[in-house]
Amino acid sequence: MVKAVRIQHTGGPEVMEYVDVPIGEPGPGEVRVRHHACGLNYIDVYFRTGLYAQPLPAGLGMEAAGVVEAVGSGVGHLRVGDRVAYAGRPVGAYAEARIMPADNIVRLPDSISFDTAAAMMLQGLTVQYLFHRTFPLRGGETILFHAAAGGVGLIACQWARAIGVTMIGTVGSDAKAELAKAHGCAHVINYNTENFVQRVREITGGKGVPVVYDSIGRDTFTGSLDCLSPMGMMVSFGSASGPVPAFSLNELASRGSLFITRPSLMNYTAKREDLEQMAAQLFAMVESGKVKIDIRQRYPLSEVQQAHRDLEARKTTGSTLLIP
C-alpha cells in the first residue's frame, strides 16, 4: 500500500482525500516509480473540478520525479535505480509511488535534482512547445504572455530572453511584476491597475503583437485578441479564470484575419521521439543556466487541499511542489 490522493467526485479542494491505495507490479511496457517530489499545476484543478472529465473515482496530478523501483517486460530504456521524471497522462501523480507507462518517462541528467525536475517538467515542456512548435519564435519578436509570474510564466520570461524575444507579461500585483522583471520579462503590466490592451499598443507603437500566449481564459480572451496584429496567432492554453465563452469566428476576421489554437501538452508529447527531443531541449536550457527553476512553495502531499486553495487564490508564484 502507498499513500495517494483520490477523489470520489468533482468539486472544491475538500473532495481530495489522502488515503492508502494498493500498488502492484508493473505489467508489460510499464515501470513502478517511487516519487521524491510531485508537481502542482493548474491543470490539476481542471481535473478536480470536472472541467476536464475523467472516470471516477480517480487520482490527480500530472508530473513527478523519482526512482524506478520495478520494470515490466519489454522495457528497454529504463532500469531499476534510474532517476526519472514525467509529465502527462495518465493522471495520478499525487502519490508516494505509482505504475506508469515506460514510454511516458524520461531519464534525468545527474545535474538536475528531483525537486527541480518535478517543478519543471510540465511547465518547462509547455514553454518548449509554445515557443518552438505552436508558434515558432525565431528571435526579434515582441510577444504577450499572460500570468508572467506563475510557474510557466517565469520559465517563459527566461526562455524568451535566452532566444532574443521581447516578452510583455501581465501579472496581478506589483510584487509579481518585480518577480517577472527579475526573471527577464522586458515589459510587465499589472492588469489590476493598467489596461493591458492599451499598454501593449503603446509598447508596440500601435502595431500589436504577432502572438499572445493566454492561460487565463475568460477574463483576458477578448483583450488578448485586441492585442494581436493582423494575421496574428491567439494561443489559448489554459482557463484559470474560467472557460472561454462561445464566440463568432467573425471576431477573428474583424480583427485582421486572426488565427486561434487551443493546444495541449499531451498532443505534443504523444510520440516518444517528440517527448525525448522536447525534454532534451528543456534539460539543456536548465543545465546551461539560461533557465532557472524557481520553486517558491513546498507542501507535504497530505496538505494538498491547502495547496490547491492557495493556487486558486493566486497566492502562489513560480513553481510549487508536493512532497510525499
Side-chain angles (χ1 to χ4, degrees):
M1 303 288 280
V2 297
K3 289 289 187 181
V5 174
R6 291 289 184 268
I7 59 171
Q8 302 298 319
H9 53 88
T10 58
E14 70 281 354
V15 303
M16 293 182 290
E17 301 175 325
Y18 186 61
V19 296
D20 291 310
V21 300
I23 184 170
E25 296 299 316
E30 296 178 333
V31 296
R32 189 173 69 234
V33 180
R34 176 67 55 173
H35 292 158
H36 285 235
C38 310
L40 176 70
N41 298 282
Y42 218 94
I43 193 172
D44 305 342
V45 175
Y46 301 157
F47 279 106
R48 194 204 72 219
T49 61
L51 178 63
Y52 289 0
Q54 64 172 331
L56 297 173
L60 290 174
M62 301 289 286
E63 72 177 335
V67 174
V68 175
E69 61 178 19
V71 178
S73 63
V75 177
H77 66 288
L78 296 172
R79 298 179 180 179
V80 171
D82 281 350
R83 302 171 67 256
V84 295
Y86 64 86
R89 292 178 185 264
V91 180
Y94 292 1
E96 291 177 329
R98 69 181 300 202
I99 291 172
M100 280 285 293
D103 279 349
N104 295 8
I105 292 177
V106 295
R107 294 177 63 185
L108 284 178
D110 291 339
S111 61
I112 295 178
S113 70
F114 292 123
D115 281 11
T116 296
M120 78 175 188
M121 286 299 292
L122 192 144
Q123 295 167 352
L125 291 174
T126 295
V127 174
Q128 193 282 337
Y129 83 73
L130 289 175
F131 282 4
H132 295 284
R133 297 182 69 189
T134 303
F135 186 93
L137 299 171
R138 297 174 175 82
E141 300 95 340
T142 297
I143 67 173
L144 175 61
F145 202 105
H146 288 294
V152 175
L154 292 184
I155 294 173
C157 291
Q158 300 171 80
W159 203 303
R161 179 175 59 184
I163 61 176
V165 168
T166 300
M167 180 167 145
I168 304 171
T170 68
V171 297
S173 70
D174 291 342
K176 289 184 176 182
E178 291 303 316
L179 186 60
K181 287 179 184 176
H183 284 74
C185 193
H187 305 276
V188 185
I189 302 167
N190 183 341
Y191 54 71
N192 285 320
T193 59
E194 301 176 274
N195 181 314
F196 75 82
V197 177
Q198 181 179 339
R199 287 286 293 120
V200 168
R201 290 291 173 180
E202 290 172 356
I203 292 166
T204 61
K207 295 178 181 179
V209 294
V211 60
V212 176
Y213 299 101
D214 189 337
S215 63
I216 302 300
R218 181 183 59 210
D219 291 353
T220 53
F221 180 74
T222 301
S224 292
L225 295 180
D226 289 336
C227 290
L228 285 165
S229 56
M231 291 170 284
M233 172 70 80
M234 169 66 169
V235 182
S236 177
F237 71 102
S239 310
S241 66
V244 172
F247 68 97
S248 169
L249 289 176
N250 288 334
E251 298 292 334
L252 305 180
S254 65
R255 288 173 169 82
S257 299
L258 304 180
F259 297 87
I260 187 167
T261 184
R262 178 57 175 93
S264 169
L265 173 63
M266 275 57 77
N267 297 125
Y268 284 87
T269 58
K271 296 179 180 179
R272 175 73 193 179
E273 57 268 31
D274 289 338
L275 170 60
E276 290 180 342
Q277 183 179 34
M278 293 166 66
Q281 188 173 11
L282 172 60
F283 295 158
M285 275 288 195
V286 173
E287 288 181 305
S288 72
K290 293 177 181 177
V291 171
K292 293 181 171 61
I293 306 305
D294 195 354
I295 302 169
R296 297 208 154 223
Q297 298 82 211
R298 286 179 171 85
Y299 301 81
L301 183 57
S302 59
E303 295 179 12
V304 65
Q305 292 186 6
Q306 188 58 50
H308 272 234
R309 291 189 187 99
D310 290 348
L311 179 64
E312 291 181 273
R314 301 186 183 181
K315 292 181 179 179
T316 64
T317 55
S319 299
T320 302
L321 292 180
L322 299 169
I323 306 300

